[in-house]
Amino acid sequence: MKTCRQSPTEPAFVQDPYPFYTRMRAGGPLAYWEEYGKVAAFSHEAVQTLLKDRRFGREVPPELVTEGPSHLAPWLAVEAHSLLDAEPPRHTRLRALVLRAFTSRAISDLAPGIEALCHELIDAFPEGEFDLLDAYCSQVPVITICRLLGVPEDMAPDLLRWSHAMVAMYQAGRTRATEDAAAQAATEFTTFLRGYIEKRRNDPRDDLITRLIAAEEEGTKLSTDELIGTCILLLNAGHEATVHAIANGVKTLLETGTSPAALAPDTIDRTIEEIMRFDPPLHMFSRYAYEDVTLFDHMFRRGDEVALLLGAANRDPSVWAHPDRFDPTRATLTNTSFGGGLHFCVGAPLARLEMRIALPNLFARCPALRLAKPPSYSDSYHFHGLAKLLVCH
Ligand code: HEM
């Protein structure tokens, strides 16, 4: 197996990681990525196989669990109750509860509100150059997830602040300051939710938090800590990636001069899948091996970690012809941007709904939309999102 060296914070890589992925994939499905100290999967087949292989999972094997440094305790406490980092039977129980509350009806009921929100935000666009990331792409997902969970919309700025500080823990270049900020955000977020859940117990509404509280009150199904961990996961996961999926999509559509016809009702779904394939907002997730397993000529030992490069799998030429070309008319629609297997993204239908409303409305209302400056990605790998999206309309 090839060994590769690539700093995830190198500016050229941050701006365009795809040439590195192409070089790695050409050398075989797996390569040892020195900076991460683990084997990484670059081909579509290897990523899909590992996502679906139950001998691998996200939960840390018990013999590798450590207490962690005390300054991180509040952040670790939230993580410890996250369904994202659990495996069956805990994962099955938590995911079933979330799915019970996260019905397709609850999602589709959000559509008229998302549509109205997009129009309000567009009505408020300033004249001249402005940052579409702040004015639009960030607002739609954060307000939508507040509505779905039943969190007051005026909390959106706090949620954005807490969430950015917490997810920075997964980004390359983490420092002690990142850790202190994440711990502080976790403390504030947990305190807010504890108080809010107490209030909502006596004043139930028709929202996801109320349904999760009902599950908690049924007894053994959901502990209070799990309820808080689940709400934080949904609030964070519910907007961080969608913000950048929308923004990367706007950038791609503008840079490629894609025809507005690609956003028509009968073509928009394909266009969204191509946006998700071409430039997804999350590029890498990891798994632990739970037993000794040989795959793709490599022997994984129990406890080994393997990185799954979703962004690389999406550009595999054995699945998509001319994968570096943005082509919303492609026949192959599947991609790995929402993961696969047991942890497949719970929010994929919501993220797709937000994109299918936010993008056509933006381009219909702002037919002269153009980039005011070439956008650049923020130094936040494995996230792949823009720092700013300066536009004029
Ligand atoms: C374009 C936007 C989004 C992208 C690209 C995305 C991507 C992903 C990916 C790749 C995973 C699986 C991670 C793994 O296998 O290790 C995942 C899991 C998850 N996502 Fe999303 N997501 C998006 C939007 C959302 C939204 C809107 C929500 C919630 C409202 C959400 C909630 C979750 C949850 C709860 C999980 C954990 C599922 C589990 O562990 O069973 N995501 N997401």
Side-chain angles (χ1 to χ4, degrees):
M1 188 184 10
K2 214 167 145 174
T3 292
C4 62
R5 301 210 59 195
Q6 173 59 64
S7 161
T9 57
E10 189 214 335
F13 173 80
V14 167
Q15 293 314 313
D16 186 6
Y18 299 106
F20 166 70
Y21 297 159
T22 302
R23 285 199 304 282
M24 290 303 105
R25 219 178 20 241
L30 303 177
Y32 182 79
W33 192 341
E34 212 159 275
E35 280 76 359
Y36 280 101
K38 53 184 148 180
V39 170
F42 290 93
S43 74
H44 182 264
E45 189 193 1
V47 169
Q48 285 292 335
T49 302
L50 284 154
L51 279 170
K52 289 178 184 151
D53 193 323
R54 298 287 297 277
R55 294 169 297 179
F56 293 81
R58 288 195 51 116
E59 189 164 327
V60 186
E63 69 275 17
L64 296 183
V65 174
T66 54
E67 213 173 278
S70 59
H71 70 276
L72 269 180
W75 182 80
L76 291 168
V78 171
E79 292 294 291
H81 297 102
S82 165
L83 97 106
L84 182 58
D85 288 318
E87 290 301 319
R90 205 159 59 93
H91 175 266
T92 317
R93 175 173 57 87
L94 292 175
R95 185 166 168 120
L97 283 170
V98 170
L99 286 178
R100 215 169 65 178
F102 215 78
T103 60
S104 47
R105 169 81 195 279
I107 303 302
S108 60
D109 282 354
L110 292 167
I114 299 174
E115 179 105 25
L117 172 63
C118 289
H119 285 292
E120 272 167 44
L121 293 168
I122 295 168
D123 288 341
F125 283 173
E127 288 304 316
E129 181 180 311
F130 69 101
D131 186 2
L132 193 73
L133 199 65
D134 277 347
Y136 194 68
C137 310
S138 294
Q139 302 301 323
V140 175
V142 73
I143 293 176
T144 303
I145 196 70
C146 283
R147 289 177 180 171
L148 179 65
L149 264 100
V151 170
E153 286 173 33
D154 61 8
M155 289 299 296
D158 290 306
L159 297 178
L160 284 172
R161 194 165 48 80
W162 292 332
S163 163
H164 291 336
M166 290 181 77
V167 303
M169 291 291 283
Y170 296 109
Q171 296 165 0
R174 166 175 152 180
T175 61
R176 173 65 195 246
T178 318
E179 296 183 351
D180 289 339
Q184 177 67 26
T187 305
E188 292 177 20
F189 210 157
T190 305
T191 307
F192 160 70
L193 278 173
R194 245 181 238 290
Y196 190 68
I197 288 165
E198 273 322 303
K199 241 197 282 172
R200 191 45 65 81
R201 269 189 220 289
N202 307 318
D203 178 18
R205 309 260 173 90
D206 182 21
D207 59 36
L208 211 151
I209 288 192
T210 304
R211 273 167 276 175
L212 289 172
I213 291 173
E216 182 217 27
E217 287 174 348
E218 279 169 37
T220 52
K221 291 200 177 122
L222 190 68
S223 71
T224 307
D225 287 338
E226 285 171 342
L227 170 59
I228 290 172
T230 303
C231 289
I232 292 184
L233 172 65
L234 289 173
L235 286 165
N236 288 355
H239 73 271
E240 288 286 349
T242 315
V243 168
H244 294 294
I246 297 173
N248 292 2
V250 173
K251 170 184 180 284
T252 300
L253 293 168
L254 290 175
E255 284 182 344
T256 53
T258 299
S259 153
L263 302 174
D266 58 337
T267 49
I268 181 70
D269 290 335
R270 275 173 182 274
T271 304
I272 286 169
E273 293 318 302
E274 179 65 353
I275 287 172
M276 291 305 302
R277 179 197 75 82
F278 184 73
D279 203 21
L282 303 174
H283 277 211
M284 181 174 84
F285 284 94
S286 291
R287 293 290 185 271
Y288 290 97
Y290 293 145
E291 55 186 84
D292 296 350
V293 187
T294 300
L295 278 177
F296 302 102
D297 297 329
H298 176 73
M299 164 81 149
F300 291 95
R301 295 276 180 201
R302 179 180 163 88
D304 281 355
E305 260 192 286
V306 54
L308 313 181
L309 274 300
L310 308 181
N314 281 352
R315 299 271 186 125
D316 190 327
S318 69
V319 182
W320 295 278
H322 307 293
D324 295 328
R325 187 187 296 165
F326 177 73
D327 176 4
T329 66
R330 284 180 190 280
T332 306
L333 293 180
T334 55
N335 58 68
T336 56
S337 301
F338 290 109
L342 224 56
H343 291 277
F344 181 81
C345 178
V346 166
L350 175 59
R352 289 186 168 115
L353 177 72
E354 290 178 49
M355 292 174 81
R356 83 186 311 285
I357 297 174
L359 290 171
N361 277 308
L362 174 69
F363 282 86
R365 292 278 313 274
C366 307
L369 191 73
R370 62 183 172 83
L371 294 171
K373 294 214 169 60
S376 60
Y377 291 91
S378 66
D379 177 9
S380 57
Y381 197 77
H382 73 283
F383 286 79
H384 184 64
L386 298 171
K388 277 188 167 51
L389 181 54
L390 297 175
V391 296
C392 297
H393 67 110

